Amino acid sequence: MTKNEFLTKLADELKKNNIPDYDDIVAEYEQHFAFKMADGYSEEEIAAKLGNPAVLASQFESINQDKKSAGKKATTIIGLSFIDIFAGAFFVLLIAWEIIMAAFSLCSLAVAVCLFGEISPLSLIPPMPYGPALVFGISLTALALLTAVGCIYFAAFIRQLMRSFGRFHHNTIAAASGNAILPSIAIYPRLPAKTNRRIRTIALISLVLFASSFVLGMIISMILSGSLEFWHIWGWFGYKIGN
Amino acid sequence: MNIQYKKGVLELCVLSLLKKHDCYGYEISEYLSKHIDIADGTVYPILRKLKSDGLLTTYMQEESGGPPRKYYSLTKLGRETYEKEREEYLNFAKRVEALLEDDE
């Protein structure tokens, strides 16, 4: 008998005997074949050593399945669907935050490009001399980088959280219906150490660059305009003081 | 040897192996067929019965370079049952042995 003949016969007999999750049983025998074949046995030898599939299938017959588990499973699924509603809303919230962060990062970059190129679409960019514009441009580029790194990490975090929740979901149902439980998945993303280090370095550098060039830009602007409130001097909000 | 003798004892043997460490199905099958002359396939119905009796639990473990393996592990009930039945069996076997040797 070949492997396929054996497994088909076994599956047929199990189905005939009304054994629930017979595919689980067949999978176990299939794995037995895989191990034995790796040891160099032929399919026929393995099948012969396993025994008659019809006899084996009949040995499963006497096992009475847990009938209480049906009710337990139903309760578990009802409870889980309530958890799913809250978890789902929570995931929507997290994804919304991710989108906001990405938009913020892109906007910062766009403003930085405008400052570098001295362009002001729809006069949205407040007027200032090119010196502070350049410094503010660097500051915003750093901010864009910082939030972009944040975005990437946060996306990995959301993904891992969802996977972890999915596994919890699967295991809860599996436990209620008496199936095999898979190992749980950690909540936090486990990136390679190198990536982790790189992300941390980029975040740190861009944070320092953002803060220092922002302060520097402010100081330069104050000196150039001769006022602590340089935005009034340059008429950023549609009016000018002292003119 | 009569298969009916072996069957009841096989459960005990499986429990004794699992008391030492968790095993996957094939490991148990190999261990038993090395020590006791049975068809390789017989062990899987036994594992299933022990599981449905609540003496064993299963979990999947991902192996490098292969499909996840189903491991069997003794529950607290399984451990207690094993200790009790082991005692009973050894007592029983001793008496049977004494009885049969008396025959000579």
Side-chain angles (χ1 to χ4, degrees), chain A residues 151-232:
Chain A
C151 260
I152 291 167
Y153 185 82
F154 197 63
F157 174 70
I158 294 176
R159 183 173 163 270
Q160 185 73 12
L161 200 63
M162 286 173 121
R163 279 184 63 213
S164 176
F165 182 75
R167 183 55 66 84
F168 158 76
H169 201 276
H170 173 273
N171 276 350
T172 313
I173 293 179
S177 45
N179 291 333
I181 288 176
L182 295 165
S184 56
I185 298 178
I187 295 176
Y188 293 104
R190 270 179 289 178
L191 302 171
K194 209 172 155 191
T195 318
N196 252 335
R197 259 201 314 276
R198 220 171 264 166
I199 285 183
R200 206 174 315 140
T201 315
I202 295 175
L204 211 65
I205 291 175
S206 52
L207 178 66
V208 169
L209 193 63
F210 160 67
S212 55
S213 55
F214 183 75
V215 171
L216 189 68
M218 297 285 275
I219 294 169
I220 294 175
S221 302
M222 286 168 196
I223 294 170
L224 284 182
S225 63
S227 163
L228 283 179
E229 297 176 333
F230 57 87
W231 45 89
H232 291 311

Side-chain angles (χ1 to χ4, degrees), chain A:
Chain A
M1 207 183 303
T2 67
K3 175 183 159 189
N4 273 336
E5 282 168 3
F6 181 93
L7 295 177
T8 319
K9 184 95 183 8
L10 182 70
D12 286 347
E13 290 291 330
L14 288 171
K15 268 186 269 188
K16 214 194 288 171
N17 294 344
N18 278 325
I19 309 285
D21 55 321
Y22 64 89
D23 44 349
D24 204 38
I25 299 172
V26 174
E28 192 115 48
Y29 282 95
E30 204 172 348
Q31 219 167 52
H32 187 99
F33 269 100
F35 279 120
K36 277 277 185 195
M37 278 157 81
D39 283 346
Y41 290 91
S42 74
E43 292 189 3
E44 280 76 11
E45 280 175 297
I46 303 166
K49 274 230 70 175
L50 275 171
N52 182 348
V55 174
L56 289 172
S58 72
Q59 289 172 351
F60 284 101
E61 199 177 22
S62 57
I63 302 161
N64 60 322
Q65 270 294 305
D66 202 5
K67 282 174 188 79
K68 290 170 286 178
S69 78
K72 196 175 154 210
K73 196 179 170 186
T75 337
T76 310
I77 288 175
I78 292 170
L80 260 186
S81 39
F82 275 106
I83 295 173
D84 285 348
I85 293 171
F86 288 106
F90 186 62
F91 286 136
V92 168
L93 206 69
L94 289 181
I95 291 168
W97 176 244
E98 168 80 19
I99 293 170
I100 290 170
M101 236 166 43
F104 184 79
S105 176
L106 286 176
C107 288
S108 305
L109 190 66
V111 174
V113 167
C114 288
L115 285 173
F116 286 138
E118 277 190 296
I119 34 178
S120 182
L122 303 170
S123 311
L124 279 171
I125 308 294
M128 68 182 96
Y130 194 58
L134 210 59
V135 179
F136 281 131
I138 292 169
S139 170
L140 283 170
T141 311
L143 184 62
L145 194 61
L146 179 65
T147 43
V149 170
C151 260
I152 291 167
Y153 185 82
F154 197 63
F157 174 70
I158 294 176
R159 183 173 163 270
Q160 185 73 12
L161 200 63
M162 286 173 121
R163 279 184 63 213
S164 176
F165 182 75
R167 183 55 66 84
F168 158 76
H169 201 276
H170 173 273
N171 276 350
T172 313
I173 293 179
S177 45
N179 291 333
I181 288 176
L182 295 165
S184 56
I185 298 178
I187 295 176
Y188 293 104
R190 270 179 289 178
L191 302 171
K194 209 172 155 191
T195 318
N196 252 335
R197 259 201 314 276
R198 220 171 264 166
I199 285 183
R200 206 174 315 140
T201 315
I202 295 175
L204 211 65
I205 291 175
S206 52
L207 178 66
V208 169
L209 193 63
F210 160 67
S212 55
S213 55
F214 183 75
V215 171
L216 189 68
M218 297 285 275
I219 294 169
I220 294 175
S221 302
M222 286 168 196
I223 294 170
L224 284 182
S225 63
S227 163
L228 283 179
E229 297 176 333
F230 57 87
W231 45 89
H232 291 311
I233 305 296
W234 290 337
W236 278 14
F237 304 109
Y239 61 92
K240 290 187 180 189
I241 285 178
N243 279 19

Side-chain angles (χ1 to χ4, degrees), chain B residues 14-79:
Chain B
V14 170
L15 293 179
S16 111
L17 172 63
L18 287 174
K19 192 186 170 234
K20 289 177 210 144
H21 56 86
D22 296 357
C23 295
Y24 51 94
Y26 178 70
E27 227 178 330
I28 303 169
S29 150
E30 279 297 272
Y31 172 83
L32 282 187
S33 53
K34 204 165 73 191
H35 291 93
I36 301 171
D37 178 33
I38 46 155
D40 283 356
T42 324
V43 68
Y44 298 109
I46 292 172
L47 287 171
R48 204 174 158 79
K49 179 182 179 296
L50 290 173
K51 190 187 168 189
S52 83
D53 288 348
L55 304 186
L56 305 181
T57 53
T58 52
Y59 59 90
M60 302 300 273
Q61 183 127 313
E62 279 141 12
E63 301 287 323
S64 54
R69 286 178 190 169
K70 188 154 122 192
Y71 273 80
Y72 291 86
S73 165
L74 222 53
T75 62
K76 190 160 169 281
L77 178 67
R79 204 168 292 270

